[in-house]
Amino acid sequence: MALRQYFTKEKHSGLTVCEIILTIYIAITTVMTILFWDNIDNPSELIKVRLGFIVFMCFMYGIYRIYPCRLTWLLRTMPVLLSLVYWYPETYTFARCHPYLDHIFAHADWILFGYQPSLEFSKNVTSVFWSELFNMGYYSYYFLMIGVLLFCFLRRFEDSQRYAFIFMASFFTYYLWFEWMPVAGPYYYFKAIGLEAARNGIYPDLGNYFATHNDPNNDLIHAEIRGIFSELVHRVQIAGENPVGAFPSSHVSMSTVTMIIAWHTRNKWLFWCLQPFYLLLCIATVYIMAHYCVDSIAGFLTACLFYYIYNKLYSQILEIS
């Protein structure tokens, strides 16, 4: 019976919430592409990609109309969620059109702590054991989100639309934030200004420096790579990281949203088994110098705020419909 329910026909008219949110994001970034046409490399390609996503969603909707059931609904929704992997690197395309704000957030860490937590943390905690533990936590980010969302689709299907809406809306809100308020993070900024300046509280405004300096091979961090998870994180950074998206920390924010969703599934095993990975992930964002400490704090606070806002908004949408 549990398996049969995914093939039982059940009608869901119109677009899914994930498709609606993606369509809104595509519309907004299409307008941004037109506005910054002369400052973007190959803007026509961005337009073609967006048209491609629209065509794909229409195609998947057609498949769903042929046999509307939970399985084909899942086949519509999962590619839209997975498209987040594509949209994140693209934030750098729009961020390059604006001056970077690292000097503000590096200075905020200096005011709060009297030193740079990311520099001192990685300098004083150097054992392979702790390095691997924190990098494992950071790498678990992807599996944490995928695991909770799959659990919701398979075991809490009635609530999965709500959670998918909160998840997608939060993610795209952060993407738009990164595109208009770019922060590279200590990983890039301290290499650019030099360690001596960073440790002495000297944080110059680099303006659009990172629009043309985006080399992910940072010797400040990767000279000491010694373990499996350290290498895995390094490869992810080489493949998909750019100097953008440091404030607030999307790793902390979206893993916090995910953990709130896990809590609301009322499955204690799910929540408490993921809790250690979540805590390690939050600490790792500073340890591997991906974020200033204020980035991680802001990530947690905004995640709680966005969850509350989008949860309320979804309830209002249900009432209207």
Side-chain angles (χ1 to χ4, degrees):
M1 180 62 187
L3 184 61
R4 189 184 305 168
Q5 65 183 340
Y6 293 100
F7 295 91
T8 303
K9 285 191 174 183
E10 48 184 46
K11 194 69 173 177
H12 294 283
S13 61
L15 297 174
T16 67
V17 290
C18 290
E19 290 167 340
I20 292 170
I21 293 170
L22 178 55
T23 302
I24 292 171
Y25 182 77
I26 286 175
I28 292 172
T29 52
T30 297
V31 173
M32 290 167 58
T33 301
I34 296 170
L35 287 175
F36 301 115
W37 191 274
D38 294 332
N39 302 104
I40 295 174
D41 295 333
N42 202 3
S44 59
E45 187 64 28
L46 298 187
I47 301 296
K48 291 178 184 177
V49 167
R50 280 152 177 76
L51 290 174
F53 270 100
I54 296 297
V55 170
F56 177 78
M57 285 193 291
C58 292
F59 173 75
M60 295 305 297
Y61 179 67
I63 292 177
Y64 173 79
R65 287 295 299 269
I66 294 171
Y67 196 94
C69 64
R70 291 190 181 186
L71 179 63
T72 50
W73 184 92
L74 185 61
L75 290 175
R76 288 174 64 189
T77 303
M78 290 308 296
V80 176
L81 286 167
L82 291 173
S83 75
L84 290 165
V85 177
Y86 169 81
W87 299 112
Y88 174 70
E90 196 192 72
T91 58
Y92 178 62
T93 300
F94 297 105
R96 294 171 63 190
C97 302
H98 309 284
Y100 277 70
L101 306 174
D102 283 80
H103 58 291
I104 296 173
F105 297 103
H107 194 243
D109 263 11
W110 179 263
I111 292 174
L112 285 174
F113 304 102
Y115 59 89
Q116 285 299 328
S118 59
L119 282 178
E120 299 307 317
F121 193 5
S122 56
K123 174 185 175 183
N124 292 294
V125 182
T126 58
S127 71
V128 175
F129 173 79
W130 288 109
S131 174
E132 281 296 276
L133 201 61
F134 290 135
N135 277 281
M136 179 190 69
Y138 193 81
Y139 193 71
S140 68
Y141 171 69
Y142 310 99
F143 302 100
L144 186 152
M145 292 187 297
I146 292 171
V148 171
L149 289 175
L150 279 177
F151 178 88
C152 292
F153 287 133
L154 298 176
R155 300 296 298 274
R156 298 287 186 275
F157 187 82
E158 295 76 15
D159 298 321
S160 60
Q161 284 252 51
R162 176 184 296 272
Y163 296 141
F165 175 81
I166 295 168
F167 189 82
M168 289 285 288
S170 298
F171 243 124
F172 281 129
T173 301
Y174 286 116
Y175 285 1
L176 290 170
W177 189 327
F178 299 155
E179 288 161 358
W180 287 92
M181 295 181 60
V183 179
Y187 177 81
Y188 291 97
Y189 183 65
F190 292 161
K191 180 180 181 180
I193 66 172
L195 286 180
E196 185 176 352
R199 288 201 167 103
N200 287 289
I202 303 171
Y203 307 115
D205 180 354
L206 299 184
N208 291 90
Y209 174 84
F210 294 111
T212 54
H213 295 75
N214 65 337
D215 182 12
N217 289 289
N218 194 325
D219 296 335
L220 296 179
I221 301 171
H222 296 130
E224 299 298 325
I225 288 180
R226 290 170 291 182
I228 295 173
F229 287 105
S230 303
E231 181 62 32
L232 285 173
V233 169
H234 174 48
R235 290 184 180 183
V236 168
Q237 291 172 322
I238 292 294
E241 285 295 330
N242 281 304
V244 67
F247 183 87
S249 167
S250 59
H251 273 70
V252 171
S253 57
M254 289 312 304
S255 60
T256 300
V257 168
T258 302
M259 291 301 292
I260 297 174
I261 292 173
W263 175 262
H264 282 286
T265 64
R266 300 180 298 280
N267 187 298
K268 294 181 180 179
W269 281 103
L270 176 69
F271 180 81
W272 290 111
C273 286
L274 295 177
Q275 187 70 9
F277 296 96
Y278 167 69
L279 294 175
L280 286 170
L281 187 157
C282 292
I283 297 170
T285 58
V286 178
Y287 178 77
I288 70 167
M289 296 176 64
H291 297 279
Y292 307 105
C293 196
V294 292
D295 299 342
S296 298
I297 296 170
F300 176 80
L301 295 176
T302 55
C304 297
L305 176 64
F306 288 170
Y307 184 92
Y308 176 81
I309 291 172
Y310 290 128
N311 188 43
K312 286 286 187 183
L313 181 59
Y314 185 81
S315 296
Q316 291 177 2
I317 292 172
L318 280 184
E319 290 178 5
I320 294 171
S321 60

